Amino acid sequence: DTEVTQTPKHLVMGMTNKKSLKCEQHMGHRAMYWYKQKAKKPPELMFVYSYEKLSINESVPSRFSPECPNSSLLNLHLHALQPEDSALYLCASSQGSGVEKLFFGSGTQLSVL
Amino acid sequence: AQSVTQLGSHVSVSEGALVLLRCNYSSSVPPYLFWYVQYPNQGLQLLLKYTSAATLVKGINGFEAEFKKSETSFHLTKPSAHMSDAAEYFCAVSVSGANSKLTFGKGITLSVRP
């Protein structure tokens, strides 16, 4: 299994809603990442978990809350988002935290109304 | 700080023609360089990477790239374009040897004409 699975594929939410994005991998990877990608733009790193501990937070607003319940799962909890948060949210994983190959999921397309 | 520059936003080639996507980097230390591809409604997929071994790097789907320090370039090529190559291509650089410090270029869209 060489896949990173993200659910849901599409999500529409209001500014007062609370929702969560889920990411799962079963490759034994110990580093997991959240990226945000606006249309026609490169991905922007949001968070990095290494060995289930948050190692990097790229000054992301607190309305985004990551969680790594175990080595295979990564969640992104969303609360009180703004319309400008609408984007493709990509999860990725790698064997370690070096320059090993990044495996990306297909993403969750989020629309905030 | 490191960076990569991908000039232009769109390249169009005929099927069977040479594909050349340009990437120039800026780094004060030896860089690690990558090319990623993103098909519509998909995540990114690694095509190839340079990590200071051979300067000519072969990747998946017939793509290759050559690291040229004198030109600070890492251009992506494929001898013969296929319709399935139509996608967004991102060049990226890391100087710390960490994926968490990967800096992506703005990307370039490749179209393939029949």
Side-chain angles (χ1 to χ4, degrees):
Chain A
D1 185 358
T2 57
E3 279 192 358
V4 175
T5 303
Q6 289 188 246
T7 54
K9 291 193 181 303
H10 301 275
L11 179 62
V12 179
M13 61 185 291
M15 290 189 284
T16 58
N17 292 158
K18 287 185 180 181
K19 297 287 185 183
S20 296
L21 309 185
K22 180 181 173 182
C23 174
E24 196 166 1
Q25 57 88 13
H26 296 288
M27 294 177 280
H29 289 174
R30 304 317 299 262
M32 296 186 77
Y33 311 76
W34 280 116
Y35 284 86
K36 174 183 178 180
Q37 186 179 25
K38 301 285 263 185
K40 298 297 184 183
K41 298 289 186 183
E44 298 174 358
L45 183 65
M46 300 174 72
F47 302 103
V48 181
Y49 273 84
S50 181
Y51 291 87
E52 301 168 46
K53 294 191 186 304
L54 182 65
S55 60
I56 292 180
N57 175 343
E58 291 287 305
S59 302
V60 179
S62 60
R63 58 186 184 268
F64 295 91
S65 176
E67 179 196 20
C68 189
N70 59 57
S71 60
S72 299
L73 278 175
L74 185 66
N75 298 318
L76 186 63
H77 302 298
L78 314 172
H79 174 54
L81 294 193
Q82 304 298 309
E84 59 265 29
D85 297 321
S86 298
L88 181 67
Y89 288 84
L90 293 165
C91 175
S93 70
S94 62
Q95 181 65 42
S97 56
V99 289
E100 297 93 340
K101 180 177 177 179
L102 274 175
F103 288 78
F104 281 86
S106 297
T108 294
Q109 187 65 55
L110 174 68
S111 296
V112 181
L113 303 179
Chain B
Q2 73 274 13
S3 66
V4 289
T5 301
Q6 295 181 253
L7 291 178
S9 60
H10 185 229
V11 168
S12 180
V13 301
S14 297
E15 192 172 19
L18 171 72
V19 175
L20 170 61
L21 303 180
R22 299 178 186 274
C23 175
N24 289 90
Y25 70 90
S26 173
S27 173
S28 57
V29 298
Y32 298 86
L33 292 161
F34 308 80
W35 275 99
Y36 279 87
V37 61
Q38 186 173 30
Y39 299 102
N41 303 313
Q42 297 290 320
L44 281 71
Q45 180 181 9
L46 180 67
L47 280 176
L48 48 81
K49 65 178 181 180
Y50 167 76
T51 55
S52 75
T55 57
L56 181 62
V57 182
K58 293 187 184 299
I60 62 171
N61 303 338
F63 284 94
E64 65 180 38
E66 186 172 8
F67 174 73
K68 291 187 176 180
K69 185 178 178 180
S70 60
E71 299 177 8
T72 61
S73 69
F74 190 59
H75 301 331
L76 182 71
T77 61
K78 181 174 180 178
S80 177
H82 191 273
M83 297 297 291
S84 60
D85 295 325
E88 190 80 9
Y89 290 79
F90 293 96
C91 182
V93 62
S94 172
V95 298
S96 66
N99 274 322
S100 57
K101 297 301 181 185
L102 206 59
T103 300
F104 287 93
K106 65 181 178 65
I108 191 159
T109 303
L110 174 66
S111 299
V112 182
R113 305 183 301 271

